[in-house]
Amino acid sequence: MTNKYWIECTDKNTEYFIKYYLLKHADTISFINKPWREVSYFIIIRKKGTKNDKKFIDTLEKLRKNFIKKENKNKHSIYYYKFSDNIKQMFNTKKLFNQLTPEFSKNFYGFEDPTFYKNNKIIGGVISHENYFYVYLDNKQKENFEKKKIHLRTD
């Protein structure tokens, strides 16, 4: 049985350990796409992160061969991808926070809050703009995290 734990990323070592754990164990990844608007003087100039945004189209094309499915939820979409070596390499070269806000991400433009899966079960995720991870751990995994001095919260 696993439990959900929250981890605040307060240093590089914590981020590195969590990133290593997720890259090693995940076989699928999903991203949230929430289009946003560029506004100037209270006038909408253009919508970003949509099928009309060239940067977003380029991102979709770069990830296309690993595409699994897309689900539409309210005002956003969730894109699922096989977590291939290519996508893992894109993650391995980037910080997980701030780099994964939709408008500033080089490799994942238009996407945020990645969720990681193994055998169709969530093993963890990132709240990109808040410096928080969440992970689902069994007792042995929890002990390994605690040995690395990773502070786990249950709330």
Side-chain angles (χ1 to χ4, degrees):
M1 182 168 129
T2 61
N3 293 306
K4 185 177 186 177
Y5 298 96
W6 289 94
I7 304 163
E8 183 176 9
C9 185
T10 56
D11 59 74
K12 286 190 325 188
N13 292 334
T14 298
E15 182 174 4
Y16 176 81
F17 183 78
I18 302 297
K19 182 165 63 169
Y20 175 79
Y21 172 79
L22 294 171
L23 290 173
K24 181 178 178 187
H25 295 285
D27 58 19
T28 304
I29 187 167
S30 69
F31 298 97
I32 294 176
N33 167 244
K34 295 181 194 172
W36 67 99
R37 295 174 183 178
E38 190 175 275
V39 178
S40 179
Y41 301 106
F42 304 106
I43 298 171
I44 297 172
I45 296 175
R46 65 182 68 93
K47 291 182 179 178
K48 302 274 192 148
T50 68
K51 63 182 179 180
N52 298 321
D53 182 341
K54 177 161 177 12
K55 285 185 180 180
F56 185 61
I57 293 168
D58 291 345
T59 298
L60 293 176
E61 183 59 29
K62 186 174 14 174
L63 300 171
R64 182 177 54 86
K65 78 176 192 177
N66 297 297
F67 179 75
I68 296 171
K69 67 180 178 176
K70 174 185 171 185
E71 293 178 351
N72 293 314
K73 307 269 185 173
N74 298 325
K75 294 183 179 182
H76 65 276
S77 299
I78 302 172
Y79 288 77
Y80 294 83
Y81 294 92
K82 177 180 176 269
F83 201 34
S84 67
D85 289 340
N86 182 45
I87 294 175
K88 287 180 182 183
Q89 185 58 38
M90 288 185 221
F91 264 98
N92 205 27
T93 61
K94 296 293 179 191
K95 291 178 60 174
L96 290 177
F97 299 108
N98 301 326
Q99 294 291 333
L100 287 174
T101 53
E103 65 271 26
F104 298 116
S105 179
K106 179 180 176 184
N107 290 325
F108 304 104
Y109 176 90
F111 289 128
E112 63 182 328
D113 298 344
T115 301
F116 300 83
Y117 303 81
K118 182 168 181 96
N119 300 325
N120 296 316
K121 292 184 181 180
I122 296 173
I123 62 168
V126 178
I127 309 301
S128 305
H129 58 283
E130 294 185 16
N131 286 5
Y132 277 96
F133 294 104
Y134 59 92
V135 290
Y136 288 85
L137 305 172
D138 61 26
N139 288 336
K140 184 178 178 184
Q141 292 166 322
K142 180 180 183 261
E143 288 175 12
N144 287 336
F145 274 61
E146 290 171 336
K147 283 179 188 174
K148 293 289 186 180
K149 306 236 186 286
I150 306 293
H151 179 70
L152 302 169
R153 290 190 354 229
T154 56
D155 55 1

PDB file of all heavy atoms in Angstrom, residues 102-124:
ATOM      1  N   PRO A 102       4.051  27.342 -18.196  1.00  0.00           N
ATOM      2  CA  PRO A 102       3.763  27.210 -19.635  1.00  0.00           C
ATOM      3  C   PRO A 102       4.511  28.162 -20.549  1.00  0.00           C
ATOM      4  O   PRO A 102       4.998  27.757 -21.595  1.00  0.00           O
ATOM      5  CB  PRO A 102       2.263  27.461 -19.724  1.00  0.00           C
ATOM      6  CG  PRO A 102       1.731  27.261 -18.381  1.00  0.00           C
ATOM      7  CD  PRO A 102       2.858  27.528 -17.419  1.00  0.00           C
ATOM      8  N   GLU A 103       4.630  29.412 -20.185  1.00  0.00           N
ATOM      9  CA  GLU A 103       5.203  30.379 -21.128  1.00  0.00           C
ATOM     10  C   GLU A 103       6.723  30.429 -21.133  1.00  0.00           C
ATOM     11  O   GLU A 103       7.319  30.981 -22.047  1.00  0.00           O
ATOM     12  CB  GLU A 103       4.629  31.771 -20.881  1.00  0.00           C
ATOM     13  CG  GLU A 103       4.987  32.373 -19.554  1.00  0.00           C
ATOM     14  CD  GLU A 103       4.021  32.035 -18.431  1.00  0.00           C
ATOM     15  OE1 GLU A 103       3.365  31.002 -18.477  1.00  0.00           O
ATOM     16  OE2 GLU A 103       3.943  32.817 -17.484  1.00  0.00           O
ATOM     17  N   PHE A 104       7.387  29.840 -20.124  1.00  0.00           N
ATOM     18  CA  PHE A 104       8.837  29.958 -20.039  1.00  0.00           C
ATOM     19  C   PHE A 104       9.582  28.654 -20.311  1.00  0.00           C
ATOM     20  O   PHE A 104      10.791  28.642 -20.379  1.00  0.00           O
ATOM     21  CB  PHE A 104       9.252  30.490 -18.666  1.00  0.00           C
ATOM     22  CG  PHE A 104       8.711  31.859 -18.395  1.00  0.00           C
ATOM     23  CD1 PHE A 104       7.806  32.069 -17.367  1.00  0.00           C
ATOM     24  CD2 PHE A 104       9.073  32.935 -19.182  1.00  0.00           C
ATOM     25  CE1 PHE A 104       7.286  33.329 -17.123  1.00  0.00           C
ATOM     26  CE2 PHE A 104       8.557  34.198 -18.945  1.00  0.00           C
ATOM     27  CZ  PHE A 104       7.664  34.399 -17.912  1.00  0.00           C
ATOM     28  N   SER A 105       8.884  27.568 -20.458  1.00  0.00           N
ATOM     29  CA  SER A 105       9.532  26.278 -20.647  1.00  0.00           C
ATOM     30  C   SER A 105      10.031  26.132 -22.071  1.00  0.00           C
ATOM     31  O   SER A 105       9.268  26.272 -23.021  1.00  0.00           O
ATOM     32  CB  SER A 105       8.553  25.152 -20.322  1.00  0.00           C
ATOM     33  OG  SER A 105       9.176  23.912 -20.537  1.00  0.00           O
ATOM     34  N   LYS A 106      11.304  25.836 -22.214  1.00  0.00           N
ATOM     35  CA  LYS A 106      11.879  25.659 -23.546  1.00  0.00           C
ATOM     36  C   LYS A 106      11.420  24.334 -24.157  1.00  0.00           C
ATOM     37  O   LYS A 106      10.977  24.292 -25.297  1.00  0.00           O
ATOM     38  CB  LYS A 106      13.395  25.696 -23.460  1.00  0.00           C
ATOM     39  CG  LYS A 106      14.080  25.497 -24.788  1.00  0.00           C
ATOM     40  CD  LYS A 106      15.573  25.550 -24.656  1.00  0.00           C
ATOM     41  CE  LYS A 106      16.227  25.255 -25.997  1.00  0.00           C
ATOM     42  NZ  LYS A 106      17.660  25.194 -25.902  1.00  0.00           N
ATOM     43  N   ASN A 107      11.521  23.251 -23.414  1.00  0.00           N
ATOM     44  CA  ASN A 107      11.182  21.930 -23.946  1.00  0.00           C
ATOM     45  C   ASN A 107       9.706  21.594 -23.857  1.00  0.00           C
ATOM     46  O   ASN A 107       9.225  20.750 -24.608  1.00  0.00           O
ATOM     47  CB  ASN A 107      11.982  20.841 -23.223  1.00  0.00           C
ATOM     48  CG  ASN A 107      13.444  20.878 -23.585  1.00  0.00           C
ATOM     49  OD1 ASN A 107      13.796  21.187 -24.710  1.00  0.00           O
ATOM     50  ND2 ASN A 107      14.297  20.586 -22.630  1.00  0.00           N
ATOM     51  N   PHE A 108       8.991  22.225 -22.922  1.00  0.00           N
ATOM     52  CA  PHE A 108       7.594  21.859 -22.684  1.00  0.00           C
ATOM     53  C   PHE A 108       6.685  23.087 -22.710  1.00  0.00           C
ATOM     54  O   PHE A 108       5.780  23.222 -21.902  1.00  0.00           O
ATOM     55  CB  PHE A 108       7.474  21.109 -21.353  1.00  0.00           C
ATOM     56  CG  PHE A 108       8.359  19.894 -21.287  1.00  0.00           C
ATOM     57  CD1 PHE A 108       9.527  19.903 -20.554  1.00  0.00           C
ATOM     58  CD2 PHE A 108       8.025  18.750 -22.000  1.00  0.00           C
ATOM     59  CE1 PHE A 108      10.344  18.783 -20.510  1.00  0.00           C
ATOM     60  CE2 PHE A 108       8.842  17.622 -21.958  1.00  0.00           C
ATOM     61  CZ  PHE A 108      10.001  17.645 -21.210  1.00  0.00           C
ATOM     62  N   TYR A 109       6.928  23.976 -23.650  1.00  0.00           N
ATOM     63  CA  TYR A 109       6.154  25.205 -23.779  1.00  0.00           C
ATOM     64  C   TYR A 109       4.661  24.885 -23.854  1.00  0.00           C
ATOM     65  O   TYR A 109       4.230  24.024 -24.608  1.00  0.00           O
ATOM     66  CB  TYR A 109       6.584  25.956 -25.044  1.00  0.00           C
ATOM     67  CG  TYR A 109       5.782  27.194 -25.328  1.00  0.00           C
ATOM     68  CD1 TYR A 109       6.165  28.429 -24.812  1.00  0.00           C
ATOM     69  CD2 TYR A 109       4.632  27.142 -26.106  1.00  0.00           C
ATOM     70  CE1 TYR A 109       5.428  29.566 -25.073  1.00  0.00           C
ATOM     71  CE2 TYR A 109       3.888  28.273 -26.366  1.00  0.00           C
ATOM     72  CZ  TYR A 109       4.298  29.491 -25.847  1.00  0.00           C
ATOM     73  OH  TYR A 109       3.556  30.617 -26.103  1.00  0.00           O
ATOM     74  N   GLY A 110       3.872  25.587 -23.050  1.00  0.00           N
ATOM     75  CA  GLY A 110       2.428  25.398 -23.049  1.00  0.00           C
ATOM     76  C   GLY A 110       1.946  24.362 -22.049  1.00  0.00           C
ATOM     77  O   GLY A 110       0.753  24.184 -21.864  1.00  0.00           O
ATOM     78  N   PHE A 111       2.888  23.672 -21.397  1.00  0.00           N
ATOM     79  CA  PHE A 111       2.540  22.631 -20.438  1.00  0.00           C
ATOM     80  C   PHE A 111       3.022  23.001 -19.036  1.00  0.00           C
ATOM     81  O   PHE A 111       4.008  23.713 -18.870  1.00  0.00           O
ATOM     82  CB  PHE A 111       3.188  21.301 -20.810  1.00  0.00           C
ATOM     83  CG  PHE A 111       2.596  20.650 -22.018  1.00  0.00           C
ATOM     84  CD1 PHE A 111       3.407  20.240 -23.060  1.00  0.00           C
ATOM     85  CD2 PHE A 111       1.240  20.412 -22.119  1.00  0.00           C
ATOM     86  CE1 PHE A 111       2.879  19.607 -24.172  1.00  0.00           C
ATOM     87  CE2 PHE A 111       0.695  19.785 -23.228  1.00  0.00           C
ATOM     88  CZ  PHE A 111       1.520  19.383 -24.257  1.00  0.00           C
ATOM     89  N   GLU A 112       2.330  22.453 -18.039  1.00  0.00           N
ATOM     90  CA  GLU A 112       2.759  22.614 -16.656  1.00  0.00           C
ATOM     91  C   GLU A 112       2.316  21.405 -15.846  1.00  0.00           C
ATOM     92  O   GLU A 112       1.607  20.530 -16.332  1.00  0.00           O
ATOM     93  CB  GLU A 112       2.193  23.899 -16.052  1.00  0.00           C
ATOM     94  CG  GLU A 112       0.683  23.949 -15.961  1.00  0.00           C
ATOM     95  CD  GLU A 112       0.179  25.272 -15.404  1.00  0.00           C
ATOM     96  OE1 GLU A 112       0.860  25.886 -14.572  1.00  0.00           O
ATOM     97  OE2 GLU A 112      -0.906  25.685 -15.822  1.00  0.00           O
ATOM     98  N   ASP A 113       2.746  21.366 -14.605  1.00  0.00           N
ATOM     99  CA  ASP A 113       2.341  20.359 -13.619  1.00  0.00           C
ATOM    100  C   ASP A 113       2.414  18.925 -14.143  1.00  0.00           C
ATOM    101  O   ASP A 113       1.414  18.209 -14.213  1.00  0.00           O
ATOM    102  CB  ASP A 113       0.930  20.649 -13.096  1.00  0.00           C
ATOM    103  CG  ASP A 113       0.835  21.983 -12.369  1.00  0.00           C
ATOM    104  OD1 ASP A 113       1.886  22.534 -12.007  1.00  0.00           O
ATOM    105  OD2 ASP A 113      -0.284  22.453 -12.161  1.00  0.00           O
ATOM    106  N   PRO A 114       3.618  18.454 -14.489  1.00  0.00           N
ATOM    107  CA  PRO A 114       3.729  17.076 -14.960  1.00  0.00           C
ATOM    108  C   PRO A 114       3.373  16.070 -13.865  1.00  0.00           C
ATOM    109  O   PRO A 114       3.671  16.279 -12.693  1.00  0.00           O
ATOM    110  CB  PRO A 114       5.198  16.953 -15.359  1.00  0.00           C
ATOM    111  CG  PRO A 114       5.901  17.993 -14.581  1.00  0.00           C
ATOM    112  CD  PRO A 114       4.927  19.118 -14.409  1.00  0.00           C
ATOM    113  N   THR A 115       2.703  15.000 -14.278  1.00  0.00           N
ATOM    114  CA  THR A 115       2.380  13.890 -13.386  1.00  0.00           C
ATOM    115  C   THR A 115       3.035  12.642 -13.961  1.00  0.00           C
ATOM    116  O   THR A 115       2.996  12.412 -15.166  1.00  0.00           O
ATOM    117  CB  THR A 115       0.851  13.698 -13.287  1.00  0.00           C
ATOM    118  OG1 THR A 115       0.275  14.910 -12.787  1.00  0.00           O
ATOM    119  CG2 THR A 115       0.493  12.557 -12.352  1.00  0.00           C
ATOM    120  N   PHE A 116       3.634  11.853 -13.084  1.00  0.00           N
ATOM    121  CA  PHE A 116       4.401  10.678 -13.483  1.00  0.00           C
ATOM    122  C   PHE A 116       3.662   9.414 -13.067  1.00  0.00           C
ATOM    123  O   PHE A 116       3.139   9.331 -11.958  1.00  0.00           O
ATOM    124  CB  PHE A 116       5.789  10.728 -12.832  1.00  0.00           C
ATOM    125  CG  PHE A 116       6.578  11.940 -13.217  1.00  0.00           C
ATOM    126  CD1 PHE A 116       6.384  13.147 -12.566  1.00  0.00           C
ATOM    127  CD2 PHE A 116       7.517  11.887 -14.235  1.00  0.00           C
ATOM    128  CE1 PHE A 116       7.105  14.284 -12.914  1.00  0.00           C
ATOM    129  CE2 PHE A 116       8.241  13.022 -14.592  1.00  0.00           C
ATOM    130  CZ  PHE A 116       8.025  14.219 -13.936  1.00  0.00           C
ATOM    131  N   TYR A 117       3.658   8.411 -13.968  1.00  0.00           N
ATOM    132  CA  TYR A 117       2.915   7.171 -13.752  1.00  0.00           C
ATOM    133  C   TYR A 117       3.828   5.965 -13.947  1.00  0.00           C
ATOM    134  O   TYR A 117       4.767   6.021 -14.738  1.00  0.00           O
ATOM    135  CB  TYR A 117       1.775   7.030 -14.775  1.00  0.00           C
ATOM    136  CG  TYR A 117       0.808   8.165 -14.792  1.00  0.00           C
ATOM    137  CD1 TYR A 117       1.101   9.348 -15.475  1.00  0.00           C
ATOM    138  CD2 TYR A 117      -0.425   8.074 -14.155  1.00  0.00           C
ATOM    139  CE1 TYR A 117       0.207  10.400 -15.508  1.00  0.00           C
ATOM    140  CE2 TYR A 117      -1.333   9.131 -14.188  1.00  0.00           C
ATOM    141  CZ  TYR A 117      -0.999  10.287 -14.867  1.00  0.00           C
ATOM    142  OH  TYR A 117      -1.893  11.335 -14.898  1.00  0.00           O
ATOM    143  N   LYS A 118       3.496   4.906 -13.256  1.00  0.00           N
ATOM    144  CA  LYS A 118       4.112   3.606 -13.509  1.00  0.00           C
ATOM    145  C   LYS A 118       2.982   2.582 -13.519  1.00  0.00           C
ATOM    146  O   LYS A 118       2.198   2.515 -12.572  1.00  0.00           O
ATOM    147  CB  LYS A 118       5.137   3.241 -12.454  1.00  0.00           C
ATOM    148  CG  LYS A 118       5.814   1.908 -12.746  1.00  0.00           C
ATOM    149  CD  LYS A 118       7.016   1.695 -11.883  1.00  0.00           C
ATOM    150  CE  LYS A 118       7.669   0.384 -12.235  1.00  0.00           C
ATOM    151  NZ  LYS A 118       8.768   0.544 -13.161  1.00  0.00           N
ATOM    152  N   ASN A 119       2.882   1.837 -14.594  1.00  0.00           N
ATOM    153  CA  ASN A 119       1.812   0.839 -14.747  1.00  0.00           C
ATOM    154  C   ASN A 119       0.434   1.455 -14.507  1.00  0.00           C
ATOM    155  O   ASN A 119      -0.398   0.900 -13.793  1.00  0.00           O
ATOM    156  CB  ASN A 119       2.047  -0.347 -13.818  1.00  0.00           C
ATOM    157  CG  ASN A 119       3.355  -1.054 -14.103  1.00  0.00           C
ATOM    158  OD1 ASN A 119       3.779  -1.148 -15.249  1.00  0.00           O
ATOM    159  ND2 ASN A 119       4.015  -1.520 -13.060  1.00  0.00           N
ATOM    160  N   ASN A 120       0.215   2.637 -15.081  1.00  0.00           N
ATOM    161  CA  ASN A 120      -1.067   3.356 -15.012  1.00  0.00           C
ATOM    162  C   ASN A 120      -1.449   3.855 -13.617  1.00  0.00           C
ATOM    163  O   ASN A 120      -2.598   4.214 -13.386  1.00  0.00           O
ATOM    164  CB  ASN A 120      -2.202   2.501 -15.585  1.00  0.00           C
ATOM    165  CG  ASN A 120      -2.005   2.228 -17.050  1.00  0.00           C
ATOM    166  OD1 ASN A 120      -1.648   3.126 -17.811  1.00  0.00           O
ATOM    167  ND2 ASN A 120      -2.214   1.000 -17.455  1.00  0.00           N
ATOM    168  N   LYS A 121      -0.501   3.885 -12.690  1.00  0.00           N
ATOM    169  CA  LYS A 121      -0.753   4.431 -11.355  1.00  0.00           C
ATOM    170  C   LYS A 121       0.161   5.629 -11.131  1.00  0.00           C
ATOM    171  O   LYS A 121       1.342   5.594 -11.495  1.00  0.00           O
ATOM    172  CB  LYS A 121      -0.484   3.385 -10.270  1.00  0.00           C
ATOM    173  CG  LYS A 121      -1.470   2.256 -10.293  1.00  0.00           C
ATOM    174  CD  LYS A 121      -1.213   1.309  -9.150  1.00  0.00           C
ATOM    175  CE  LYS A 121      -2.221   0.155  -9.213  1.00  0.00           C
ATOM    176  NZ  LYS A 121      -2.013  -0.789  -8.142  1.00  0.00           N
ATOM    177  N   ILE A 122      -0.386   6.677 -10.535  1.00  0.00           N
ATOM    178  CA  ILE A 122       0.413   7.870 -10.266  1.00  0.00           C
ATOM    179  C   ILE A 122       1.477   7.541  -9.225  1.00  0.00           C
ATOM    180  O   ILE A 122       1.176   6.975  -8.166  1.00  0.00           O
ATOM    181  CB  ILE A 122      -0.470   9.028  -9.752  1.00  0.00           C
ATOM    182  CG1 ILE A 122      -1.463   9.455 -10.832  1.00  0.00           C
ATOM    183  CG2 ILE A 122       0.391  10.214  -9.318  1.00  0.00           C
ATOM    184  CD1 ILE A 122      -2.482  10.480 -10.367  1.00  0.00           C
ATOM    185  N   ILE A 123       2.729   7.901  -9.541  1.00  0.00           N
ATOM    186  CA  ILE A 123       3.807   7.749  -8.562  1.00  0.00           C
ATOM    187  C   ILE A 123       4.293   9.102  -8.047  1.00  0.00           C
ATOM    188  O   ILE A 123       4.980   9.167  -7.045  1.00  0.00           O
ATOM    189  CB  ILE A 123       4.989   6.924  -9.099  1.00  0.00           C
ATOM    190  CG1 ILE A 123       5.644   7.602 -10.306  1.00  0.00           C
ATOM    191  CG2 ILE A 123       4.549   5.507  -9.425  1.00  0.00           C
ATOM    192  CD1 ILE A 123       6.977   6.991 -10.707  1.00  0.00           C
ATOM    193  N   GLY A 124       3.936  10.182  -8.747  1.00  0.00           N
ATOM    194  CA  GLY A 124       4.352  11.497  -8.278  1.00  0.00           C
ATOM    195  C   GLY A 124       4.008  12.579  -9.269  1.00  0.00           C
ATOM    196  O   GLY A 124       3.540  12.308 -10.381  1.00  0.00           O
TER     197      GLY A 124
END
